[in-house]
Amino acid sequence: MEHDSIWRMRAITIMPDHVHGLIVLGQNLSLPQGVARFKAKTHTVLKDVGLKWERGYFDHRIRPEVKLGPIVRYIANNPIRAGLVAADESRWPWFKLGEAERKWFRWGEFTAGDELPDWLSSKRN
């Protein structure tokens, strides 16, 4: 989707029943159009393994003043919270980072001020 200028991926975790993504939306499509395109591009792969996308999605706009570090770590640690991988294992194989995030992200590294935004702190997976 990056090569189509739909969005630039910052972090993504693909879970067995949902996806968490942190993206920067491009200029070509709106968020609903971009999500629809993502679902259309992945439909065949999911169908081949007996899965399908549900209708709709949840989104949240992140304001410029919000620190992205805690959100990226939330996305990375989602499989640990779900019990899919142990905290001491290297990482979830379906977690990917954008180029800029790969420069600073370290597994298990948390810093002061890593509190989650209110809209995210109540979520568990």
Side-chain angles (χ1 to χ4, degrees):
M1 301 284 287
E2 288 188 29
H3 67 277
D4 294 340
S5 298
I6 305 301
W7 61 53
R8 184 170 48 87
M9 188 266 307
R10 306 284 304 258
I12 188 167
T13 291
I14 302 171
M15 300 289 287
D17 60 351
H18 64 282
V19 174
H20 287 272
L22 178 62
I23 62 164
V24 176
L25 193 59
Q27 300 295 319
N28 293 343
L29 298 178
S30 67
L31 182 60
Q33 291 169 323
V35 170
R37 186 147 180 203
F38 175 74
K39 287 182 175 185
K41 285 187 168 204
T42 57
H43 169 77
T44 302
V45 174
L46 292 176
K47 184 178 175 185
D48 289 348
V49 294
L51 299 173
K52 65 179 182 176
W53 285 109
E54 291 186 13
R55 294 181 188 260
Y57 60 93
F58 297 97
D59 66 82
H60 187 87
R61 171 176 268 171
I62 299 172
R63 304 221 178 268
E65 66 273 9
V66 173
K67 293 180 182 179
L68 296 183
I71 298 168
V72 170
R73 285 188 261 289
Y74 174 89
I75 292 170
N77 289 319
N78 199 259
I80 295 168
R81 284 189 303 280
L84 298 172
V85 65
D88 59 350
E89 290 184 27
S90 62
R91 69 165 119 159
W92 181 245
W94 298 281
F95 169 72
K96 301 294 179 205
L97 286 170
E99 186 176 333
E101 289 68 33
R102 285 192 296 265
K103 293 177 183 176
W104 61 261
F105 180 84
R106 301 289 178 266
W107 285 97
E109 180 179 285
F110 292 89
T111 59
D114 258 3
E115 297 82 24
L116 292 172
D118 291 339
W119 56 267
L120 190 56
S121 61
S122 63
K123 297 184 184 291
R124 295 289 171 232
N125 288 330

